[in-house]
Amino acid sequence: MYQENYDDVEFGGDVDLVANSYANSNLVEGELDEEELIMQAQAGVQSIPEPVRNFLANLHRNLANCNVGDLAYNYENQFVRLTDKFYGKAPWPEPQYVAALVGDDGLFLTLYRELYYRHIYSRLHPSLEVRFRSFENYCDLFNYILNSDGPIELELPNQWLWDIVDEFIYQFQSFCTHRSRVSKRSAEEIELLKENSQVWNTYSVLNVLYSLIQKSSIYEQLEAGQQGGDVVEAAGDFGVRPLYKMLGYFSIIGLVRVHCMLGDYTLALQTLQNVELGNSRALFTRVTACHVTVYYYVGFAYLMMGRYADAIQSYVHILTFVSRTRQYHQRSYQFDAVNKKAEQMYALLAIAVSLSPVRVDENIHTYLREKYGDQQHKMQRGGEEAVEIISELYLYACPKFIMPNPPSYSDIEAASNTAEPQNFQLKIFLREARLQLVIPTLRSFLRLYTTMDLDRLSTFLDMDPLELRNQLMVYKQRCRQIKWAGTPDLLQGEITSATDLDFALQEDMIFIAESRVGRRYADWFIRNTNKIQDLVNNIENRQKTAIANAGKPKAEENNTATTPVSANSAAAVEA
């Protein structure tokens, strides 16, 4: 089904002819004469390597024929291989030269520019002009999709559609960070930012995402699917098309990311209404990067809202999935990005488990102990050292927060002294974490007794009894959290105890009750059985290799000449 040997697919056009056509269509009066333009166009087209020309021709043909299977192979395999081979440290060919190869196909060139600018963001350093042009290209693409009289005849693989939405939000975040650092901008750049205040505007980005959701009627489709209604009727003329449906669905995930970057965690969780997180056949599971992104931002929103039990559950679920499917994604071009996001989630999980100690999956617990064992021990001891560790892990693993509005370019000094969004969000998180840090310390003492006098515990902790009583009340209140009960609304839940250790305080006597959860030994035995089986197989293979090598004659070290071997001697050696 796929075109494996794309180098063999010859480009059908004539370079001189298409270059001549491009030069005539782009002749600017008073700048260059026609002959010079033709020469430039010919040089630009001929500078494109032959495999890249064939790839572009093949991609253009598959796009025109709506061949989604071949497009997926072109996008996920061939484009990545050609990038590594020819454009590891250079941009892809200019769109104006590619236009000459594809007959100036406007839709193809818009999609190619999206890949072109994305490659610059990924491998090179985008200039301010590139950031502006990339935004204009996204506007052209989304206007074509949203403002047509009827559904457009375009089909793209799910991976490509997700990458379009994901890259759109990433470039928005990158631009907001770029413009906020006014002290590093030149006077010319500041003037350009003033004149183009609508470029990568927060309202424009949100408008695109909400428009895609509304056009696809994706919320109505999800609700109809949960209630057993007619999904096709709810989808409408646009929503029944895979392009609009998946763009709308991925825009929901993109909105969650944007709201988290803006610090609105409640709205982020509200956006996921009717998106079934526990459903292994949900649409977000079709793209691994989307699957990981959903749980990363859901878990982070729960963490910032103080719902540590839900954050732990979210991260354990997706990290278990990543660890079990890692071998299947090693060849994927997104393997490194998924692994990096998984490492960030491990860091956030280490914070959540330290603030609200609970038992987690054995494999996850083993990795946390190996990776963050020292940090967890320091966080559980409390104090300023714990705050420093939490701050370090948080800044490493948190999303890239942004300021929704541009800075005041008229007052550069004041704009330079504005607090970074990451530090502001860290300050908010630490305010809650400081209150939560008392739990591990108190829990370590309480679990040793069934009854205990308040004065004795205050002596152990070197704390005033009245202050200790207040701390116990804080512990009691912090251990009762809202936990999601699997409903379509992620904000709703039941108030439950988030710890396996409870206590009651009667006058000056503490009564402790620990509800022990039985440890599941099946996974432990299976894992260690597999380890010892691998060890036995390794020993047996080494023994077989040693026996085989022992039966072979040793080659003479000094005999460097090549001598012919007769048939009789060869037979003797075989015998």
Side-chain angles (χ1 to χ4, degrees):
M1 181 177 67
Y2 299 128
Q3 184 64 44
E4 180 66 34
N5 298 319
Y6 54 86
D7 294 345
D8 298 335
V9 181
E10 298 295 337
F11 170 64
D14 185 275
V15 174
D16 294 335
L17 290 179
V18 295
N20 189 12
S21 173
Y22 169 74
N24 290 333
S25 62
N26 291 275
L27 180 62
V28 181
E29 185 177 358
E31 293 185 0
L32 295 173
D33 57 26
E34 182 177 357
E35 184 176 353
E36 290 180 348
L37 280 175
I38 293 175
M39 292 178 62
Q40 284 187 3
Q42 289 178 349
V45 173
Q46 291 176 350
S47 66
I48 302 176
E50 189 67 24
V52 178
R53 290 190 214 169
N54 297 333
F55 163 75
L56 292 173
N58 192 17
L59 183 67
H60 180 238
R61 179 169 58 254
N62 290 330
L63 185 69
N65 296 333
C66 295
N67 194 336
V68 179
D70 287 350
L71 277 175
Y73 183 75
N74 294 147
Y75 176 75
E76 298 177 23
N77 294 276
Q78 294 179 351
F79 180 76
V80 177
R81 290 206 301 266
L82 291 173
T83 297
D84 294 336
K85 184 176 181 180
F86 295 104
Y87 306 109
K89 297 181 180 180
W92 269 71
E94 291 284 344
Q96 59 189 19
Y97 302 137
V98 175
L101 297 175
V102 297
D104 204 18
D105 187 336
L107 177 58
F108 178 86
L109 290 175
T110 301
L111 292 172
Y112 175 77
R113 290 190 193 98
E114 197 273 332
L115 296 175
Y116 172 81
Y117 292 125
R118 190 199 306 175
H119 171 70
I120 294 178
Y121 271 86
S122 174
R123 301 290 183 97
L124 309 172
H125 182 70
S127 63
L128 191 60
E129 181 183 2
V130 168
R131 297 176 189 271
F132 287 168
R133 289 185 176 180
S134 180
F135 176 75
E136 293 173 358
N137 187 70
Y138 275 118
C139 291
D140 293 340
L141 176 61
F142 291 129
N143 285 334
Y144 175 71
I145 293 174
L146 293 170
N147 297 332
S148 58
D149 296 333
I152 62 174
E153 297 296 331
L154 174 65
E155 292 187 29
L156 294 176
N158 290 333
Q159 182 69 63
W160 196 344
L161 294 175
W162 162 252
D163 287 342
I164 288 175
V165 175
D166 186 60
E167 183 69 18
F168 177 64
I169 297 172
Y170 166 74
Q171 293 187 18
F172 164 61
Q173 171 263 314
S174 177
F175 182 83
C176 291
T177 303
H178 182 82
R179 74 182 178 189
S180 63
R181 297 172 179 171
V182 292
S183 60
K184 299 181 179 180
R185 306 279 78 82
S186 64
E188 182 181 358
E189 288 180 324
I190 291 177
E191 191 63 30
L192 284 173
L193 290 171
K194 284 183 180 179
E195 296 174 356
N196 298 273
S197 59
Q198 296 303 315
V199 175
W200 290 116
N201 182 273
T202 303
Y203 293 106
S204 301
V205 173
L206 291 174
N207 181 55
V208 167
L209 298 176
Y210 278 113
S211 297
L212 289 171
I213 292 173
Q214 183 179 9
K215 199 75 170 180
S216 63
S217 303
I218 188 63
Y219 276 133
E220 291 79 1
Q221 294 187 57
L222 294 175
E223 185 177 2
Q226 286 190 349
Q227 297 179 357
D230 190 346
V231 178
V232 176
E233 182 180 356
D237 295 335
F238 288 88
V240 295
R241 297 296 183 93
L243 174 75
Y244 289 92
K245 178 179 180 179
M246 297 310 297
L247 278 177
Y249 190 87
F250 291 146
S251 295
I252 294 177
I253 313 303
L255 272 179
V256 175
R257 179 181 176 183
V258 173
H259 290 319
C260 283
M261 292 192 304
L262 294 173
D264 194 342
Y265 307 108
T266 302
L267 187 55
L269 295 180
Q270 287 178 345
T271 304
L272 286 172
Q273 187 174 7
N274 293 323
V275 175
E276 299 179 288
L277 289 187
N279 187 357
S280 60
R281 301 179 63 183
L283 293 178
F284 61 78
T285 60
R286 299 182 181 181
V287 179
T288 302
C290 179
H291 192 177
V292 174
T293 299
V294 170
Y295 279 93
Y296 170 79
Y297 285 102
V298 168
F300 187 81
Y302 278 137
L303 187 69
M304 293 298 294
M305 296 172 67
R307 296 174 59 170
Y308 303 108
D310 285 331
I312 293 171
Q313 182 180 3
S314 300
Y315 287 144
V316 168
H317 175 86
I318 189 60
L319 289 173
T320 302
F321 167 79
V322 171
S323 64
R324 291 178 177 175
T325 60
R326 190 185 304 273
Q327 57 181 338
Y328 301 108
H329 302 291
Q330 290 182 354
R331 292 189 175 184
S332 173
Y333 69 97
Q334 291 190 332
F335 179 74
D336 293 336
V338 171
N339 277 345
K340 181 180 178 181
K341 191 63 67 177
E343 290 298 325
Q344 290 179 319
M345 287 190 286
Y346 273 116
L348 294 174
L349 180 60
I351 296 176
V353 172
S354 298
L355 296 178
S356 181
V358 293
R359 186 182 298 277
V360 297
D361 180 80
E362 188 69 27
N363 293 331
I364 303 298
H365 175 73
T366 301
Y367 187 87
L368 282 178
R369 186 174 55 193
E370 295 174 354
K371 182 78 174 179
Y372 298 107
D374 294 339
Q375 290 92 327
Q376 282 187 298
H377 181 65
K378 293 177 181 178
M379 285 188 287
Q380 290 174 357
R381 288 189 302 185
E384 289 302 318
E385 187 179 23
V387 174
E388 293 178 2
I389 297 296
I390 291 175
S391 302
E392 179 184 349
L393 294 178
Y394 181 89
L395 292 177
Y396 161 72
C398 71
K400 303 298 182 183
F401 298 105
I402 59 174
M403 297 293 290
N405 298 318
S408 175
Y409 299 114
S410 58
D411 191 352
I412 303 299
E413 184 177 356
S416 302
N417 296 329
T418 304
E420 289 286 338
Q422 277 84 351
N423 295 331
F424 179 73
Q425 295 294 328
L426 173 62
K427 183 178 179 181
I428 295 175
F429 180 72
L430 289 180
R431 185 174 59 187
E432 289 291 320
R434 289 178 187 274
L435 299 175
Q436 199 78 14
L437 280 174
V438 68
I439 292 180
T441 305
L442 289 175
R443 185 174 182 272
S444 63
F445 283 97
L446 292 177
R447 66 185 306 177
L448 299 176
Y449 301 88
T450 56
T451 59
M452 191 178 189
D453 185 71
L454 184 65
D455 293 333
R456 178 182 296 181
L457 182 58
S458 65
T459 303
F460 290 157
L461 296 173
D462 193 17
M463 185 183 299
D464 182 74
L466 183 59
E467 176 64 20
L468 176 58
R469 185 183 292 269
N470 294 334
Q471 293 287 2
L472 288 173
M473 292 299 100
V474 172
Y475 176 94
K476 190 79 171 178
Q477 190 270 337
R478 291 287 168 178
C479 287
R480 296 185 62 81
Q481 301 176 16
I482 299 177
K483 190 172 183 179
W484 180 55
T487 60
D489 189 354
L490 297 180
L491 292 173
Q492 299 298 322
E494 301 174 355
I495 299 179
T496 59
S497 177
T499 181
D500 56 357
L501 186 71
D502 200 1
F503 70 91
L505 184 61
Q506 185 176 359
E507 294 182 354
D508 291 338
M509 186 61 67
I510 308 172
F511 298 91
I512 302 105
E514 184 176 7
S515 57
R516 296 184 178 271
V517 179
R519 185 175 181 181
R520 291 178 293 182
Y521 295 98
D523 293 339
W524 187 89
F525 276 111
I526 292 173
R527 185 174 65 256
N528 286 278
T529 301
N530 291 333
K531 285 184 178 179
I532 196 169
Q533 185 63 47
D534 293 339
L535 182 61
V536 171
N537 293 337
N538 190 20
I539 294 174
E540 291 178 352
N541 291 334
R542 288 186 178 183
Q543 290 177 345
K544 292 178 181 178
T545 303
I547 294 173
N549 292 334
K552 294 181 180 179
K554 296 183 179 179
E556 295 182 5
E557 297 180 357
N558 297 328
N559 185 14
T560 57
T562 303
T563 58
V565 180
S566 64
N568 294 332
S569 61
V573 171
E574 291 180 1

